[in-house]
Amino acid sequence: MSIELLEKSDELREKFFDLQSPQDIANLLDVNYNHLKYYIYILPVSVRYRSFDVHKKTCRNPRTINAPNSHIKIVQQKLNHVLELVYKVKPSAHGFINHRSVVTNAKRHVRQRFVFNVDLKDFFATINFGRVRGMFMAKPYSLSAKVATVLGQICCHNNELPQGAPTSPTVSNMICSRLDSDLQRLAGMYYCTYTRYADDITFSKTSLSFPSGIGYVDSTGVTNVGNELTQIIETNGFKINQNKVRLQNNKTRQSVTGLTVNRIPNLPRKYVRQIRAMIHAWDKYGYDSADKEHAEKYYTKKRRVQGDVPSFAMVLKGKLEFLRMVKGSLDPVYKNLQSQLVKVDKDYIEFMKKENEKMSKRDVFISHASEDKDFVRPLAEELIRIGFSIWYDEYELTVGDKLLERIDDGLTKSRYGIVVLSKHFFKKEWTNKELGGLTAKEANGQKVILPLWHNITKEDVVKSSPILASIVAIITQTKSIAEIAGELALVLKKN
């Protein structure tokens, strides 16, 4: 974070703790005070939010989403930015927090003998206006009653924290601060690991027995929440969803926030099969048909109001992105699915290019003369399409970059070097520097140079570099881009 941003953040924190009046709140959020009063007091309740139900396969009752209108949403977004700055994140909280996710939550419970899951019932609805107002008045915020009242009015709807409001996730974490502290102490007493992702609470333990004060399985085989855990949850104003209590041992598939944790955080095989089936449907029946069938199957009018149905492509790419978040951008399953998707969605190559630029490690560095870009550019795209990460100057270099440093960085990051040998190549200073870097790797015993002879004869190569002439090369004039990429893939997949 830059010094300017840090100073701005400090200033916002100070202004928040110095709030004395509703007018101060308007100033903090940079909104007109009369407009703020209108949005939270005068605007009819019926038009402040738009409500719709979302049905989940795992839940019998629908989840009601209350989405604020655009004016209230802007105010909440501004307030949420401030609240994120003043909320001191608990180490056990993983939901709705920057750089934390279901993956970081699940990682804390990998390779445990026991994993115990508890779900809080009606989590957001349980957090009412009075609790939010009281939280702002209590330590560590210690704001006045009139300031806390206005903040509570901004955050709440129909006397509860609405799912769909930008402020609700952060406020729920602030409300749960004491709960997190109490449960962390309970976990410490029994040498357990504790985390919370929104309403999903997890304890895990490596020893041969699990503490009954937290959870146990009775003589009838039913899993129960222990008395100590029950007391802490209820004292903090929450209720337990008895239908979502599980004690899992390591002889079965252990799951935390939807991810398996027996060995590493992972997704069920069914999830990958579903992505593969969606790509297949797009390929076989066409996009319009796949989109229509998906909407009819998962987003009926009962489930969503018209206009809220996400496109088939959006859902598919969202699933693929979640797979990347869990397994990593270099995971072979993820890369394989990407290469399948780009065959049916030609525009997806642009996303793959951007993702390629962010990778810290690359499969291959492409060394070439600028005059050969008409050949190299489609080769680079094809390699990305079939699932390889590449360092290619068009994607990497921007105005102001120090060329030698960027080239050295690219060579260091890459496992192999594709060298496009042409009459132009040997005349360039930069290509010879790149070749020198790759040759240095070869001198250390690594076989990294993959030469392509592009519109050049063996005699030309021998004349300029006898060493390169001795390495088996692909002659580009006799093959298509796809064929060349396919041959290179055989080498790149070996390691």
Side-chain angles (χ1 to χ4, degrees):
M1 185 181 292
S2 67
I3 294 175
E4 292 81 5
L5 285 175
L6 283 171
E7 290 175 347
K8 181 67 174 176
S9 298
D10 290 340
E11 181 185 342
L12 288 173
R13 284 193 205 94
E14 289 179 13
K15 284 185 177 180
F16 177 84
F17 284 105
D18 288 341
L19 291 173
Q20 299 295 324
S21 68
Q23 178 69 59
D24 290 342
I25 296 174
N27 293 338
L28 173 68
L29 303 180
D30 193 26
V31 297
N32 182 282
Y33 178 53
N34 291 327
H35 291 171
L36 179 61
K37 286 194 298 183
Y38 177 77
Y39 299 148
I40 63 176
Y41 291 118
I42 301 172
L43 187 68
V45 175
S46 59
V47 297
R48 293 181 193 176
Y49 287 77
R50 181 172 59 86
S51 300
F52 56 91
D53 290 340
V54 176
H55 290 243
K56 296 182 69 178
K57 290 182 179 180
T58 55
C59 185
R60 186 175 299 176
N61 299 318
R63 174 180 294 174
T64 300
I65 303 297
N66 290 293
N69 72 27
S70 58
H71 299 295
I72 295 175
K73 185 177 181 180
I74 290 170
V75 173
Q76 290 176 336
Q77 286 172 333
K78 291 182 175 183
L79 176 57
N80 188 62
H81 174 64
V82 178
L83 295 181
E84 287 178 334
L85 295 174
V86 300
Y87 166 57
K88 291 186 178 180
V89 177
K90 296 290 183 179
S92 52
H94 288 261
F96 322 120
I97 296 169
N98 289 334
H99 309 300
R100 298 191 189 183
S101 64
V102 292
V103 180
T104 62
N105 184 65
K107 280 182 177 178
R108 296 290 306 279
H109 305 284
V110 168
R111 295 182 181 274
Q112 299 286 304
R113 190 179 297 273
F114 294 100
V115 174
F116 183 64
N117 306 104
V118 178
D119 203 68
L120 300 179
K121 187 176 182 180
D122 300 326
F123 180 62
F124 285 99
T126 304
I127 304 173
N128 58 31
F129 170 78
R131 293 183 69 179
V132 175
R133 179 177 180 270
M135 182 263 296
F136 284 123
M137 293 171 64
K139 291 182 179 180
Y141 311 111
S142 303
L143 299 174
S144 67
K146 56 186 177 182
V147 168
T149 298
V150 174
L151 292 175
Q153 293 284 6
I154 294 173
C155 297
C156 295
H157 174 63
N158 287 339
N159 195 35
E160 65 183 47
L161 212 55
Q163 289 195 67
T167 42
S168 293
T170 305
V171 172
S172 70
N173 278 334
M174 296 167 76
I175 287 283
C176 286
S177 283
R178 192 181 75 172
L179 173 69
D180 288 331
S181 296
D182 291 346
L183 294 184
Q184 190 62 62
R185 281 192 291 271
L186 178 65
M189 285 172 53
Y190 292 109
Y191 303 99
C192 291
T193 298
Y194 158 70
T195 64
R196 179 184 60 82
Y197 189 94
D199 56 354
D200 199 320
I201 287 172
T202 305
F203 289 85
S204 61
K205 190 173 173 64
T206 57
S207 63
L208 292 172
S209 61
F210 194 78
S212 59
I214 295 177
Y216 64 94
V217 178
D218 64 24
S219 58
T220 64
V222 175
T223 304
N224 296 272
V225 180
N227 290 334
E228 292 175 80
L229 178 55
T230 299
Q231 184 177 1
I232 291 174
I233 290 174
E234 292 181 350
T235 300
N236 278 275
F238 293 101
K239 299 177 182 178
I240 296 168
N241 185 345
Q242 299 295 344
N243 296 322
K244 292 188 176 181
V245 178
R246 295 176 299 163
L247 181 59
Q248 309 162 86
N249 64 47
N250 58 0
K251 304 300 180 185
T252 60
R253 186 172 72 87
Q254 296 171 317
S255 177
V256 176
T257 47
L259 304 180
T260 58
V261 293
N262 295 70
R263 293 189 303 108
I264 58 171
N266 207 349
L267 283 161
R269 292 177 183 174
K270 181 180 178 182
Y271 188 91
V272 175
R273 287 198 295 267
Q274 187 178 27
I275 296 175
R276 192 171 286 119
M278 291 176 75
I279 296 172
H280 175 73
W282 187 341
D283 184 33
K284 185 173 182 180
Y285 304 109
Y287 179 79
D288 290 341
S289 178
D291 183 49
K292 181 180 178 182
E293 183 180 349
H294 186 263
E296 290 174 350
K297 185 175 182 180
Y298 295 103
Y299 300 98
T300 62
K301 288 184 180 179
K302 275 186 177 180
R303 294 181 174 184
R304 291 261 186 168
V305 297
Q306 198 167 12
D308 281 326
V309 179
S311 69
F312 179 78
M314 185 185 297
V315 174
L316 173 55
K317 291 172 186 177
K319 286 181 176 294
L320 193 56
E321 173 62 16
F322 185 61
L323 179 68
R324 183 203 62 78
M325 186 178 81
V326 174
K327 298 177 77 69
S329 56
L330 297 178
D331 178 76
V333 173
Y334 171 70
K335 299 301 290 182
N336 178 261
L337 290 170
Q338 278 195 309
S339 64
Q340 291 180 39
L341 175 57
V342 77
K343 290 177 183 177
V344 295
D345 181 8
K346 305 304 180 187
D347 294 335
Y348 188 67
I349 186 66
E350 296 305 319
F351 172 83
M352 294 177 75
K353 286 179 185 178
K354 291 177 182 177
E355 182 182 64
N356 179 81
E357 292 170 24
K358 297 176 183 177
M359 290 183 179
S360 59
K361 294 292 182 183
R362 309 298 171 89
D363 291 313
V364 67
F365 180 102
I366 302 182
S367 178
H368 66 99
S370 56
E371 289 84 353
D372 298 320
K373 283 191 182 298
D374 288 346
F375 164 75
V376 176
R377 190 182 295 115
L379 177 62
E381 288 193 0
E382 184 62 22
L383 287 169
I384 291 174
R385 242 185 227 106
I386 61 178
F388 294 102
S389 56
I390 66 168
W391 198 100
Y392 172 49
D393 59 6
E394 275 196 8
Y395 302 158
E396 307 289 339
L397 301 177
T398 57
V399 175
D401 281 344
K402 292 183 178 179
L403 192 56
L404 272 178
E405 288 183 10
R406 298 290 285 124
I407 289 173
D408 286 343
D409 183 56
L411 288 169
T412 302
K413 287 178 176 178
S414 304
R415 295 189 299 127
Y416 287 93
I418 294 174
V419 182
V420 182
L421 301 175
S422 69
K423 291 180 180 179
H424 306 292
F425 182 90
F426 294 108
K427 297 176 182 178
K428 299 285 182 176
E429 179 182 355
W430 300 118
T431 52
N432 281 286
K433 288 183 182 296
E434 292 167 359
L435 181 58
L438 292 170
T439 304
K441 279 190 173 185
E442 293 248 333
N444 291 328
Q446 298 174 263
K447 299 298 181 183
V448 299
I449 297 177
L450 306 176
L452 307 184
W453 293 359
H454 184 59
N455 298 326
I456 195 172
T457 65
K458 184 171 183 177
E459 290 72 24
D460 293 326
V461 179
V462 170
K463 190 185 303 181
S464 300
S465 177
I467 294 176
L468 287 178
S470 67
I471 302 175
V472 175
I474 296 174
I475 300 173
T476 64
Q477 295 96 303
T478 61
K479 300 179 186 296
S480 67
I481 292 291
E483 289 172 331
I484 294 168
E487 289 193 28
L488 290 168
L490 295 176
V491 178
L492 297 176
K493 286 178 179 178
K494 285 181 180 179
N495 296 315

